[in-house]
Amino acid sequence: MELRQLAYFVAVAEERNFTRAAEREHVAQPGVSAQVRRLERELGQELLDRSGRSVRLTEAGEAVLPYARAALAAVEGARQAVDELTGLLRGQVAVGTVTSHTADLPDLLAEFHDAHPAVEITLSEANSDQLLEGLRTGRLDAAIVSVGRETPPGIEMQVLTDQPIVAAVGHDHELAVHSAISLDTLRGRPLISLPSGTGLRTRLDEACAAAGFAPRIAFEASDPEVLAQLAERGLGAAILPGSFAEARADRLRTVRITRPAMRGRLVFAWRAGGPSGPAGRALIARARPALMEHARRVVGDPAAPTAASAPGGTAIRRAVSERETGH
């Protein structure tokens, strides 16, 4: 029985997917499958049920999982003990982030690398709901995410910005004559929004559901600058962070949303209780004051997005309602 077999088994059990487990372990998927099969042959029992759309633990797998985790933890503890004696920090740190913000992650990660060159650092982009799930499962050590008023369960966080969510329209739009509107005013109107799963979209969906209607999303884009451009051209009301819309007052009219007001918070987050490894804990200890200092220095909203988009370009699509398609 080899440690890597146990590590791959734990990764598949937690991710419920061989491909994601392989990505987490930085190996090819066939290698993960082969090593788990060898472990099963050695134990004489199947540990994973592969028959469904997601991988599930068998009864034997449920019994083995805590021992596999304990064995890996014991080995990591031995490494940490040696590292503490030698003053060397090593291991892996996985960081996640939403696409659009101005937090200075490149400088932060570069400084951490200079201080701890033996630590492998990875960075990935995703929507807030995916990042929060990554923190809870331990796939990520820390992340910059967008959340609402409540602290997500199982998460600790440091607020970087807290601002209203507004409707932004072109100066010729019929809503441009208003400084504030109720949320119900948006009922049935074409809206321009970030995709589902983003923090801002989640706030919109939750507020509309509480008001008894579903928002009519006419256009979606992963880059808030594109949302602003679509609104400027009269294609609907863009749902945006307040400071981002106000910074474009020459192009857009910012309309406050009331009854109820919506707010969005950009936060630096980590799993409750902290990451299990010393490298993750060291990153959080360094990042918290650095990110807050950067937030104080930025004029306006530190969460104001850049024009950068995800690899391959900004995803834009025309959203068609089920009523329009007949489904």
Side-chain angles (χ1 to χ4, degrees), residues 275-288:
S276 57
R281 293 194 293 271
L283 175 71
I284 290 172
R286 176 180 289 264
R288 293 183 66 182

Side-chain angles (χ1 to χ4, degrees), residues 30 34 60 65 77 106-107 270 291:
L65 182 59
D107 274 0
W270 57 94
L291 290 173

Side-chain angles (χ1 to χ4, degrees), residues 16 24 68 89 96 153 155 200 262 270:
R16 298 183 179 273
R24 167 172 152 179
L89 185 66
I155 298 297
L200 185 147
M262 293 185 291
W270 57 94

Side-chain angles (χ1 to χ4, degrees), residues 115 135 142 144 221 229 286:
L135 292 174
I144 292 179
Q229 293 170 1
R286 176 180 289 264

Side-chain angles (χ1 to χ4, degrees), residues 35-317:
Q35 292 299 326
V36 172
R37 283 291 190 193
R38 289 177 186 174
L39 178 62
E40 290 175 321
R41 285 198 295 270
E42 184 170 345
L43 294 174
Q45 292 287 335
E46 285 196 351
L47 304 178
L48 300 168
D49 181 354
R50 302 161 173 84
S51 61
R53 297 183 65 178
S54 63
V55 179
R56 295 180 298 172
L57 288 168
T58 63
E59 185 175 353
E62 293 279 6
V64 169
L65 182 59
Y67 292 99
R69 285 174 169 156
L72 295 173
V75 172
E76 181 61 24
R79 289 194 181 118
Q80 291 177 22
V82 173
D83 290 346
E84 289 173 1
L85 287 174
T86 61
L88 175 67
L89 185 66
R90 59 186 173 187
Q92 296 179 344
V93 168
V95 181
T97 180
V98 291
T99 302
S100 298
H101 60 81
T102 61
D104 198 353
L105 272 180
D107 274 0
L108 171 65
L109 297 181
E111 290 171 2
F112 185 80
H113 174 70
D114 289 342
H116 307 290
V119 175
E120 179 185 348
I121 307 170
T122 61
L123 176 66
S124 59
E125 288 185 350
N127 290 340
S128 291
D129 59 346
Q130 297 167 319
L131 296 173
L132 290 169
E133 183 62 21
L135 292 174
R136 294 188 186 100
T137 62
R139 181 173 57 84
L140 295 174
D141 294 295
I144 292 179
V145 299
S146 177
V147 301
R149 297 177 184 272
E150 303 297 327
T151 300
I155 298 297
E156 295 181 24
M157 64 189 196
Q158 175 174 289
V159 177
L160 302 180
T161 64
D162 185 343
Q163 62 175 306
I165 296 172
V166 303
V169 297
H171 288 288
D172 294 332
H173 193 277
E174 59 182 335
L175 293 181
V177 298
H178 301 282
S179 60
I181 57 173
S182 68
L183 179 67
D184 196 66
T185 305
L186 299 178
R187 185 192 297 259
R189 293 180 181 272
L191 303 181
I192 305 167
S193 174
L194 294 174
S196 295
T198 58
L200 185 147
R201 177 63 175 275
T202 300
R203 307 288 82 74
L204 174 65
D205 289 343
E206 290 173 346
C208 290
F213 69 96
R216 178 188 167 195
I217 306 300
F219 294 90
E220 288 182 348
S222 59
D223 182 355
E225 180 59 39
V226 176
L227 303 184
Q229 293 170 1
L230 292 169
E232 181 186 1
R233 288 161 174 77
L235 294 173
I239 308 302
L240 293 168
S243 63
F244 180 84
E246 290 164 3
R248 289 149 182 79
D250 59 326
R251 299 156 43 196
L252 295 172
R253 168 70 166 166
T254 298
V255 183
R256 291 183 293 109
I257 300 172
T258 63
R259 301 191 307 276
M262 293 185 291
R263 299 192 69 85
R265 295 187 294 171
L266 187 76
V267 304
F268 179 61
W270 57 94
R271 183 170 56 178
S276 57
R281 293 194 293 271
L283 175 71
I284 290 172
R286 176 180 289 264
R288 293 183 66 182
L291 290 173
M292 282 307 299
E293 177 60 27
H294 177 78
R296 294 188 188 100
R297 289 198 309 266
V298 173
V299 177
D301 174 30
T306 66
S309 58
T314 299
I316 311 170
R317 71 177 180 87

